[in-house]
Structures are given as C-alpha cells and as structure tokens.
Amino acid sequence: MAVRTKLLAGNWKMNGLREDAEVLARGLAQRATVAGGGRPACELLICPPASLLMMVGGVLSGSGVALGGQDCHAAPKGAHTGDISPEMLADAGCSYVILGHSERRHGHGETDAMVRDKVAGAWRAGLIAILCVGETQAQRQAGRATDIVLTQLAGSIPDGATSGNLVVAYEPVWAIGTGLTASLEDIAKMHAIVRASIPAGTRILYGGSVNPQNAAGILTLAEVDGALVGGASLDADSFWTIACCCAEPAA
Ligand code: PGA
C-alpha cells in the first residue's frame, strides 16, 4: 500500500492583518525550522487570505511549511473583478488551494459544477486541490450524509484526478467553527466511504473544530490522513500541538 504522508492544513479564512499574521507565520516557521529532525510526521500547510500570501510566503520560505490559497477562479485571467486565478496563486508561491469549502458553497452559492471547474483550473496551474465536502446538520439527521458527500465528490472531481493532484477534506458543515466534532466512529466510517470513490492513495483530511484537545484521537484514526484546521490554526502553539499529534504514515 502506498504511504500517505499526513497533511496538516491551516485555513486562516478572513483573518489576519500584516502585523499579527507575520508574528503567527514567524512562530510557525521558527518551530518548523528549530524542530529539524524532530519535526512532526506531517506536511504543514498554511492558507492565509490572498492579501497576505506574499508576506507569509516570504516568512515561511526555507521552513518547509507550504503555502496555499483559500479559493480561486477557474479561469487563468480575465475580467473577473475581485477574483484570483490559480495561476496567480501559483505565482505567489502556492502549491495548494482549498476549493469547495462549505463557506464558499453556502455563502457564495458555489455548485459542484463550479467547484469542478475550479479544480480543473487549479490542476492547469500545477496546484494540488484540497476539495472540501460535507453534509449539513439537517442532511445528517435525515440520514442523507453519505448521499450528499458522494454526490459532491462525483460532481466536483474532474477527469484526471490522481493521488498527487487531489486531497479531499471531509468537513461536516455543522462541525465547522462550532466546537462540535463528529464522533471518531462517524469520521472513520465517512472516510472509508470517501476512500472507495477516489483514486487509491489520495489523502483524506478531517475538518471541523479540530483543536489540541481532540486532535490526537482524530489524527490517529487509520483512515484520517490529516486535518484542515480553521480557528485553532490562528494560534501557533495550538497549530503546532495539533501537528505533533500526527502519527507516522501507515506503510
Ligand atoms: P474550524 O474550521 O476548525 O474553525 O472548525 C475548519 C474549516 O472550516 O476548514
């Protein structure tokens, strides 16, 4: 079986002005650099707001912590006021982009078809797409969680997906920013379902209120290949503590 190196991704969302963001990025870069051989057994990624990409990228340079965008347009360039293209993210030093996050799906009306076009755009620019999927509370209560997630996967992944260009993040909408997390059993179950419908070896992250207290339980589940962390990624100590919960990859 292929080794799946865990990925811990910090999604800063719409948080951070230059001064505090630089302190946060520097705190992470220092921990990653000082840790050297004692680094956590995972790849680290920070996805700051677009306004901070260049600055954060500069601070993280040489630390081994990767840079990613939080969203992008599908097109390479053009008359799309307020948007950012995958090529622009790559040009700013990004290697990843988060796509189809529930805050985009619900707050900006993004459909699976729109997300699929964005994933294709990300691949065109050489970025790895972190595709987010997840059910709402009402959908889970109605017994539709699996259906919803499988429909999102089927509709949002273009032809050409590989374990090298795609990461899936399972984020139950009701767990995002609420302090609620899915049970370990439900996480393992959904990850196994997701795994059966994506290319072998593709990493599946869990997201939704992951914090230093619950990270160890979640990140040591065999089906979990890392986490997408929002709130707790805004504190260098918390993010580092979560990173240190990543166990060695399954061989
Ligand atoms: P949270 O956000 O960790 O604050 O719940 C996760 C996410 O939205 O990616």
Side-chain angles (χ1 to χ4, degrees):
M1 202 204 298
V3 172
R4 303 188 307 265
T5 304
K6 285 192 171 58
L7 171 64
L8 184 67
N11 174 10
W12 288 3
K13 307 193 180 183
M14 196 173 72
N15 293 293
L17 300 178
R18 275 180 300 167
E19 198 175 330
D20 50 317
E22 184 173 350
V23 172
L24 176 53
R26 210 167 282 295
L28 280 171
Q30 272 163 2
R31 282 169 178 78
T33 309
V34 170
R39 294 175 62 95
C42 64
E43 206 183 318
L44 293 168
L45 166 68
I46 292 300
C47 301
S51 60
L52 297 172
L53 281 172
M54 300 295 292
M55 183 276 285
V56 171
V59 172
L60 296 179
S61 167
S63 70
V65 180
L67 188 70
Q70 297 179 8
D71 178 47
C72 65
H73 196 282
K77 62 177 184 173
H80 303 287
T81 304
D83 281 316
I84 190 162
S85 77
E87 280 75 2
M88 289 169 174
L89 291 179
D91 188 49
C94 293
S95 44
Y96 288 86
V97 59
I98 299 169
L99 292 171
H101 190 282
S102 72
E103 286 152 14
R104 303 293 315 174
R105 291 179 184 267
H106 298 283
H108 296 263
E110 291 192 6
T111 62
D112 288 338
M114 289 162 72
V115 175
R116 188 182 57 228
D117 287 348
K118 291 180 177 206
V119 174
W123 292 348
R124 181 190 63 236
L127 300 174
I128 301 170
I130 302 180
L131 170 66
C132 303
V133 295
E135 81 286 356
T136 63
Q137 179 87 291
Q139 289 163 340
R140 174 157 287 268
Q141 279 164 356
R144 296 176 54 217
T146 301
D147 262 15
I148 295 293
V149 167
L150 290 179
T151 302
Q152 288 174 339
L153 287 173
S156 311
I157 303 179
D159 290 344
T162 69
S163 60
N165 64 18
L166 180 71
V167 172
V168 173
Y170 169 55
E171 300 202 299
V173 178
W174 48 271
I176 296 176
T178 58
L180 303 171
T181 41
S183 69
L184 296 182
E185 196 189 339
D186 284 344
I187 296 173
K189 217 161 116 188
M190 189 62 88
H191 278 225
I193 289 165
V194 170
R195 189 164 305 290
S197 61
I198 56 177
T202 302
R203 291 176 291 182
I204 308 172
L205 315 183
Y206 173 78
S209 298
V210 175
N211 60 42
Q213 288 72 45
N214 61 25
I218 294 168
L219 288 165
T220 47
L221 289 172
E223 283 298 338
V224 173
D225 305 314
L228 181 53
V229 181
S233 72
L234 297 173
D235 178 88
D237 276 336
S238 297
F239 193 65
W240 192 254
T241 304
I242 296 170
C244 293
C245 293
C246 287
E248 289 296 329

